[in-house]
């Protein structure tokens, strides 16, 4: 016995006018869903920034009411030799972090990529990134102190420098701390470069190898141009991170001896929380924020403009 198939009737179609009305209602109510997030951002980011900007133009010790002082804090900042030295050290950090960790990370990535044990070979370089900057400062402070691990190792093998005060004079102390942070940062840079290498199509590389390209020639003319996007990210992160360097310097030298290894971030902390000069600390904080923002924007604009011209 055959059964008669049931024919489903199509659902009634809504009126076009009602659809348009519903769309307009949804468009009007959509911004309301963003209000909580906007309120959180304003409360935690914009309001503190505006308050810091105001305090930077005042004489304020954190207890009494701020007293308007105009540009006095900024004039003092640019006429203070210690703060000028902190600015020079910060620029030294920028140069160091844009070169050493980036070059070492790229070298690790290229040498281990495609290797059978590549992941395991990269693991020792990646592990230091899992620890904090404070832990890096403690470890390398032990290594670089006058009778520390490095000095004892050099003395054991009869090499010069066994009793060198690696952290006792600038700018050598800053350079040694850059080496310490390079030990931590090279691994994650290598990981980012490996991600970039994995995004490169295999066919052009195979064609280049068939044409005789190999080794450094293959890297220079085929790999390196295609690593440009990830290189932009790595260098951008290095610039921003170096401008805000604080924890390693504080743990290893506290900016000393004297102020020979201070950075702008460390000077901001000392002025605010050690000397209780909140106005001066806010001026340094605002200046550092503007420098970081300007450096990031200029670098990205340069990279994008250079990429469009190619």
């Amino acid at each position: 016995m055959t059964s008669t198939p049931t024919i489903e009737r199509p659902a009634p179609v809504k009126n076009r006018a009602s659809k348009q009305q519903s769309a307009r209602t949804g468009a009007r109510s959509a911004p309301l869903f963003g209000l909580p997030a906007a309120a959180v951002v304003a409360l935690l980011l914009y309001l503190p920034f505006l308050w810091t900007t105001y305090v930077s133009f005042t004489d304020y010790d954190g207890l009494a009411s701020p007293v308007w002082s105009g540009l006095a804090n900024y004039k003092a900042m640019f006429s203070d030799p210690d703060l000028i030295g902190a600015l020079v050290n910060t620029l030294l950090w920028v140069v160091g972090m844009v070169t050493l960790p980036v070059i070492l990370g790229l070298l690790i990535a290229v040498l281990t990529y495609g290797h059978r044990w590549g992941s395991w070979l990269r693991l020792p370089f990646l592990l230091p990134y899992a620890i904090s900057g404070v832990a890096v400062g403690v470890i390398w402070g032990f290594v670089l102190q006058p009778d520390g691990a490095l000095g004892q190792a050099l003395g054991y093998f009869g090499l010069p420098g066994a009793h060198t005060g690696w952290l006792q004079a600038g700018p050598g102390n800053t350079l040694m701390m850059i080496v310490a942070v390079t030990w931590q940062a090279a691994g994650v840079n290598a990981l980012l470069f490996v991600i970039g290498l994995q995004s490169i199509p295999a066919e052009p590389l195979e064609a280049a190898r068939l044409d005789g390209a190999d080794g450094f020639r293959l890297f220079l003319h085929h790999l390196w141009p295609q690593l440009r996007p990830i290189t932009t990210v790595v260098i951008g992160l290095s610039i921003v991170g170096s401008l805000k360097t604080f924890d390693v310097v504080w743990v290893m030298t506290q900016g000393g001896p004297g102020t020979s290894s201070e950075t702008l971030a460390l000077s901001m902390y000392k002025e605010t929380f050690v000397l209780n000069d909140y106005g001066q600390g806010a001026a340094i904080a605002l200046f550092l924020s503007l420098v970081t923002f300007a450096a990031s924007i200029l670098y990205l604009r340069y990279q994008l403009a250079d990429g469009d011209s190619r």
Side-chain angles (χ1 to χ4, degrees):
M1 182 176 179
T2 59
S3 59
T4 303
T6 303
I7 300 175
E8 296 183 358
R9 295 181 178 180
V13 180
K14 291 184 177 181
N15 188 287
R16 179 176 297 179
S18 63
K19 284 186 176 182
Q20 293 177 349
Q21 178 65 26
S22 177
R24 286 194 294 267
T25 303
R28 287 195 298 266
S29 61
L32 297 177
F33 293 97
L35 287 180
V40 171
V41 171
L43 182 63
L44 300 180
L45 182 62
Y46 296 137
L47 290 181
F49 178 78
L50 293 176
W51 172 251
T52 301
T53 303
Y54 167 71
V55 170
S56 69
F57 294 98
T58 65
D59 183 10
Y60 182 44
D61 61 0
L63 296 175
S65 299
V67 178
W68 185 264
S69 61
L71 297 175
N73 291 321
Y74 293 94
K75 292 178 181 178
M77 179 174 63
F78 291 111
S79 61
D80 187 348
D82 292 338
L83 290 177
I84 297 299
L87 176 60
V88 172
N89 287 333
T90 302
L91 295 177
L92 189 60
W93 270 97
V94 172
V95 174
M97 295 305 296
V98 168
T99 53
L100 290 181
V102 174
I103 293 175
L104 185 58
L106 178 61
L107 186 63
I108 295 169
V110 172
L111 293 180
T112 59
Y113 180 69
H115 195 280
R116 181 180 178 184
W117 304 102
S119 299
W120 292 101
L121 294 173
R122 289 190 296 270
L123 184 60
F125 299 97
L126 189 59
L127 285 176
Y129 190 73
I131 63 178
S132 65
V134 173
V136 172
V138 171
I139 294 171
W140 280 85
F142 167 75
V143 171
L144 296 174
Q145 61 184 341
D147 294 323
L150 179 59
Q152 293 182 17
L154 293 174
Y156 179 81
F157 290 104
L159 298 175
H163 302 287
T164 301
W166 302 101
L167 302 175
Q168 301 305 310
N173 47 16
T174 297
L175 296 177
M176 296 307 297
M177 287 186 285
I178 291 174
V179 171
V181 177
T182 298
W183 172 73
Q184 182 191 34
V188 71
N189 288 345
L191 182 61
L192 292 173
F193 279 121
V194 168
I195 295 173
L197 289 169
Q198 291 174 344
S199 66
I200 298 176
E203 292 79 7
L205 298 181
E206 292 298 330
R209 289 190 179 97
L210 292 176
D211 289 339
D214 198 5
F216 182 73
R217 181 183 172 188
L218 178 67
F219 168 77
L220 185 63
H221 295 287
H222 299 280
L223 287 177
W224 177 243
Q226 299 188 67
L227 284 175
R228 181 184 181 86
I230 198 66
T231 303
T232 301
V233 173
V234 171
I235 294 180
L237 292 175
S238 299
I239 292 174
V240 174
S242 60
L243 287 170
K244 300 186 297 182
T245 300
F246 172 79
D247 46 5
V248 172
V249 180
W250 179 255
V251 172
M252 294 183 69
T253 66
Q254 294 189 353
T259 58
S260 63
S261 62
E262 274 193 16
T263 61
L264 285 177
L266 193 63
S267 297
M268 174 192 66
Y269 174 83
K270 282 188 172 182
E271 292 288 342
T272 305
F273 300 108
V274 178
L275 301 177
N276 292 325
D277 191 349
Y278 285 73
Q280 187 69 68
I284 299 173
L286 184 61
F287 174 73
L288 181 58
S289 300
L290 293 177
V291 168
T292 304
F293 179 76
S296 303
I297 294 299
L298 290 175
Y299 172 71
L300 291 176
R301 287 190 62 183
Y302 170 77
Q303 290 296 324
L304 292 174
D306 195 17
D308 293 339
S309 63
R310 295 191 175 193

